[in-house]
Amino acid sequence: MTPPQQHRRRHKHRSSRRRQLTEPVGQAQALLRCAATRAEFTDAAAKIVIAQAVARGWVVRHRIAKQRLRIQARNDVARELLSTEQTYREMLGALTKLFLEPVAQRMPEELRRVFADLSIIASYSTFLLTKLETRMQNWEQQRHKIGDIFIKFCSFLKIYSTYVSNYEKTFRLTNQCIEHDPEIARHWEETRQNPQCKGLDIHSFLILPIQRLPRYVLLLTDLLRRTPEDHEDFSDLSKALHETRSVAEFVNQKKREAENMTEVYNIQQVLSGTPEDLTAPHRRFVKRGMLFERLEDKPLVFYGRAVFLFNDLLILSAPKSEITSTIKCKKGKKPDTDAMNEVLVNESKSYRFTSMLFLRNSYIVDNTDNEENGVYYFTLKSPSTGRSLQLCFVTGEDKFNWMCELDECIQTLTDQDRSRIFTKQERREVPQLKFDATPPDFVGKLDVQSSQSWKQRSVCLTPLCIFWFLKGGGNSTYDSISSKVTVLDLREISAHVVRVSQRPNTFQLTTSGRIFFLAATDGPLMFEWIFRIRSAVWKLFLKEEAGGKEPPPPTAEEIVASLTKQPTNSVCAECSSPDINSASLNLGVFLCAQCAAIHRGLPGERSKVMALGALVEAPVTALQTLMNSDNHKVNSELEAKLPESIKKPCPPDSLQVKRRYIQAKYGCPTGRKKYRLTPDERGVYKEADVLWRKTARSTHPRRIHLALYKGHLTYKKRNKVKSIDVTLCTPQRVDGSRTQLEVVTPTRVLYFSFTDVAEVEEWLKAINFVKKVVRIATAAADAKKHV
């Protein structure tokens, strides 16, 4: 039965009951009017008294029944308040005893001071719980009063404000403990499996006090709504609710920030390889979803991406799942939409970082709404870095939703810049328009909403303002311009996309006193106008910061400083060393000292390396590749082509390991060409049975077979033949022993014992001779190859 049917049924029942009560009274009154004798009059009056008594009895019983239901509902709220407080106190006890106390000595002092507030909150919760339990046991004797308890408890609510204010610091320090102390991380993970914790982690427990205070407000509001105004507890409940609500308003805001911070932390846990610390204090999570990315050089390949949108950053990642997320289509044919939908609905528990783009000063380019290859797409560009992302969607609705979210984030960042630069004291009056001046920067015809109707206007954008009028606008002298002109100062407006059912390509201009709606003929023109307006506003920002003068173009030093501050360029592109001091101009990567030396030795000038000190004096045109690329973009393209046997080196690795990786990455020879000795050189071959020692003074030598063969020094140990390139080893005598030979290689040191001193001399001469022959032959082969 639907709610309207139930309402009609109750109304019909009440009407019939009312008729049953009023009909006897009406009948008795009719008899009273028609009474001819005293006996008939007395009989009619008695019937009236009986009918009135029945009606009054029914009214009283109905009122008592409603009062009983209200009392029962009020008692249920009080019991719910008690039960939820018991659960809350148990969870606080589990947090203190299971999570914090066992590892308190390992936590930093600053974190222990923050956690001290939790013990105070737990003690206040115990106080409230004791009072509530005592009151509920004597509920009838205490006349259903509970407001006086909360009036006493409200004086302790300030500790909640202190805890909420420090929650951001607590969250950050807790993450640092998990990352840097394996013992604490292991203990908290094991404690999470405890049945008392119900599978909740440390962050879920830390947010409990922030969630509890709004719960107090809801329960007290419900309790006050079910309390009659003449009840003696009504005034106490009203006062307690007012004081609790004043604290809860502050906590609610912090609660939303805390939940958003937890969401950001969870995203960082499932996202691997990101160069940016997502848990920055200013960063807020906005939206996540699945879409497709299309590269400029591969227009027929669609890469499935999991996208995470923050208030200042857009991150694209590849899901780690067994189902492939790449869709290919043939030229002239549409892609398989069923396969694309399968990728979109596929959920993964972990993701691999692929690319990111900062939203400040970025803009959206809406590609044609015509269905191209069965997909809809738009491009997000960043003028400051020169990077762009082309995002594809299966439906136009998804595309428009993402464009609106991105546009809102970009406009919020622009408004923050405006509030930072422009103040009321700094604002100047807009100069009067000179219609005989040069044409504005951008002119077009848009539909402007006026008095609930849309009218076409000529809109002009100048460096200081935007205005529109009825006629003209197509020439530079404005001969036919209307006298009615609407002028908006660029320092006071904000432009962003809005949803209007009748006009799908609408954006609004918001000022301090009014909102204007403007509609374009299509999506690309709408975003072109938004980009032009925001660019003009940004140029005005820079001009205001420069004291009202036109800002000079960025110098090479400023460009290099901005590039090195980017998270993707803060470490070496080859070994991830944080000590970068050089850059490759043609490859667009930043390097450390060792990797820069290897780049300089690459054949054919494959890498043009320049130190950062000399880079700041280079012409700006030479920095275009560095501005349009970064370390991560180059690595993602080249490292995908490397074989699995080639691993990326670390800063402590040897120079040979880094050289092998760099040569393989950029398509250079990974090693010297093996040189075979000619028949005339066969006399340098030597072999002998010698003693191998682990150290120079080892007392347990082993007898092995040592041979110098085809430019390699080989020896057999434990039925395994090991080979050493003679060009990578250095033979020398051992100090204090004339019969021992020491061979130093990049990875180890070998000691060999011979029978006499002459044999040691022969082996030294033979190894040095073979090294010289191989080097000469290798150099000749390389020279012949590059001629």
Side-chain angles (χ1 to χ4, degrees), residues 397-633:
E397 182 66 20
D398 292 341
K399 168 192 168 182
F400 187 76
N401 291 338
W402 273 99
M403 285 196 300
C404 291
E405 294 288 352
L406 286 167
D407 185 78
E408 187 68 27
C409 294
I410 295 171
Q411 181 57 42
T412 302
L413 295 173
T414 306
D415 293 340
Q416 292 175 0
D417 293 335
R418 177 189 291 107
S419 62
R420 176 176 56 86
I421 296 175
F422 295 138
T423 59
K424 293 183 179 180
Q425 292 77 12
E426 294 174 345
R427 289 178 182 170
R428 298 186 298 271
E429 293 184 359
V430 181
Q432 294 182 356
L433 296 177
K434 298 180 179 181
F435 299 113
D436 57 348
T438 56
D441 295 340
F442 196 62
V443 179
K445 292 188 179 296
L446 298 174
D447 292 339
V448 181
Q449 188 180 32
S450 175
S451 302
Q452 304 299 325
S453 63
W454 294 86
K455 297 180 181 180
Q456 191 178 67
R457 294 289 184 264
S458 296
V459 185
C460 302
L461 177 64
T462 69
L464 289 177
C465 62
I466 180 174
F467 62 93
W468 56 83
F469 46 86
L470 181 59
K471 299 179 181 179
N475 48 28
S476 60
T477 57
Y478 305 101
D479 295 332
S480 58
I481 190 169
S482 173
S483 59
K484 186 177 181 181
V485 182
T486 304
V487 184
L488 302 180
D489 187 355
L490 289 181
R491 290 167 293 186
E492 297 180 350
I493 68 172
S494 61
H496 54 88
V497 183
V498 293
R499 292 177 177 270
V500 179
S501 58
Q502 299 86 357
R503 304 275 178 163
N505 303 310
T506 303
F507 65 98
Q508 73 177 22
L509 299 179
T510 305
T511 66
S512 58
R514 189 176 174 183
I515 298 177
F516 298 90
F517 294 91
L518 293 85
T521 55
D522 53 22
L525 182 59
M526 176 187 66
F527 281 100
E528 176 73 11
W529 269 102
I530 294 176
F531 165 66
R532 295 276 186 170
I533 294 172
R534 290 176 180 170
S535 298
V537 172
W538 181 249
K539 290 179 182 178
L540 206 54
F541 289 169
L542 300 178
K543 186 176 180 179
E544 288 288 334
E545 286 186 324
K549 302 178 181 179
E550 290 293 336
T555 62
E557 184 177 1
E558 294 174 348
I559 294 175
V560 172
S562 63
L563 291 176
T564 53
K565 288 180 181 179
Q566 294 182 13
T568 53
N569 295 331
S570 60
V571 296
C572 176
E574 314 299 351
C575 65
S576 301
S577 173
D579 302 325
I580 58 172
N581 70 341
S582 303
S584 176
L585 295 180
N586 59 328
L587 297 178
V589 294
F590 287 84
L591 307 167
C592 64
Q594 280 191 342
C595 295
I598 298 174
H599 270 252
R600 289 188 178 96
L602 295 179
E605 296 185 356
R606 300 195 180 189
S607 180
K608 297 180 180 180
V609 181
M610 184 177 291
L612 295 183
L615 202 62
V616 297
E617 300 177 357
V620 178
T621 55
L623 307 178
Q624 290 299 322
T625 304
L626 286 172
M627 295 169 61
N628 297 332
S629 182
D630 56 37
N631 290 355
H632 184 270
K633 184 177 181 179

Side-chain angles (χ1 to χ4, degrees), residues 80-100:
E80 183 182 0
L81 183 59
L82 175 62
S83 62
T84 54
E85 189 65 26
Q86 290 173 344
T87 305
Y88 174 58
R89 183 62 188 89
E90 292 174 359
M91 301 295 279
L92 289 180
L95 172 62
T96 305
K97 295 181 180 179
L98 300 181
F99 280 95
L100 303 182

Side-chain angles (χ1 to χ4, degrees), residues 14 57-58 89 277 406 419 486 702 742:
R14 292 170 183 169
W58 180 87
R89 183 62 188 89
D277 183 15
L406 286 167
S419 62
T486 304
R702 295 180 181 177
E742 179 184 56

